């Protein structure tokens, strides 16, 4: 048999020291690609908690269905609905070719965005 517990511990330790606002979206994308539910869950929780600090270009790396899940995360940390609407609008402009009606509906639902920034309303 091949025991990988030591390797798993090393990788886990590396990820914990490497994960940051600058790298979290990469970890989320890769975790989704390899179906690593544990890392994906950890990454989504961290990204939700640090949402307002994440660079726009990092958020644009996320596929639309993941971004939508992130914006509806109960732990989402964003100072206001208006600020969230700005982040959603920036994302939607950057990934417009990939956002279908269903994803757009859930990203902009009144429960997610009860108020929209006036500069993004049009």
């Amino acid at each position: 048999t091949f025991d990988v517990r030591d390797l798993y511990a090393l990788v886990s330790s590396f990820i914990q020291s490497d994960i940051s606002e600058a790298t979290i979206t990469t970890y989320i994308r890769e975790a989704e690609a390899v179906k690593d539910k544990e890392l994906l869950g950890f990454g989504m929780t961290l990204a939700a908690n640090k949402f307002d600090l994440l660079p726009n270009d990092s958020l644009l790396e996320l596929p639309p269905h993941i971004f939508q899940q992130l914006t509806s995360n109960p732990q989402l940390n964003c100072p206001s609905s208006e600020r969230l609407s700005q982040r959603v609008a920036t994302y939607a402009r950057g990934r417009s070719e990939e956002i279908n009606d269903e994803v757009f509906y859930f990203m902009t639902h009144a429960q997610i965005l009860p108020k929209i920034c006036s500069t993004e309303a049009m």
Side-chain angles (χ1 to χ4, degrees):
T1 61
F2 187 66
D3 188 2
V4 295
R5 287 178 284 197
D6 289 340
L7 178 60
Y8 181 83
L10 285 171
V11 170
S12 293
S13 176
F14 172 79
I15 290 171
Q16 289 176 11
S17 68
D18 185 58
I19 207 162
S20 68
E21 290 91 357
T23 61
I24 187 62
T25 55
T26 300
Y27 280 104
I28 290 171
R29 273 193 353 266
E30 296 302 321
E32 187 201 25
V34 299
K35 309 287 188 250
D36 185 335
K37 291 180 183 181
E38 183 180 347
L39 180 56
L40 181 59
F42 175 74
M44 291 293 280
T45 298
L46 182 61
N49 286 321
K50 303 278 188 180
F51 183 78
D52 203 46
L53 302 175
L54 299 178
N56 286 329
D57 59 335
S58 292
L59 288 175
L60 286 169
E61 294 176 4
L62 297 175
H65 71 281
I66 295 291
F67 183 82
Q68 182 267 314
Q69 289 173 18
L70 182 59
T71 59
S72 62
N73 188 309
Q75 295 180 348
L76 187 71
N77 184 13
C78 199
S80 67
S81 176
E82 290 88 349
R83 173 67 177 141
L84 179 57
S85 73
Q86 292 173 320
R87 309 278 341 244
V88 168
T90 299
Y91 181 85
R93 283 191 292 274
R95 300 288 294 247
S96 61
E97 300 294 319
E98 302 166 70
I99 297 175
N100 62 29
D101 291 343
E102 181 181 0
V103 170
F104 184 78
Y105 171 80
F106 285 112
M107 284 190 331
T108 59
H109 192 277
Q111 288 181 324
I112 304 297
L113 294 176
K115 294 181 181 178
I116 298 173
C117 179
S118 61
T119 60
E120 300 298 350
M122 298 292 290

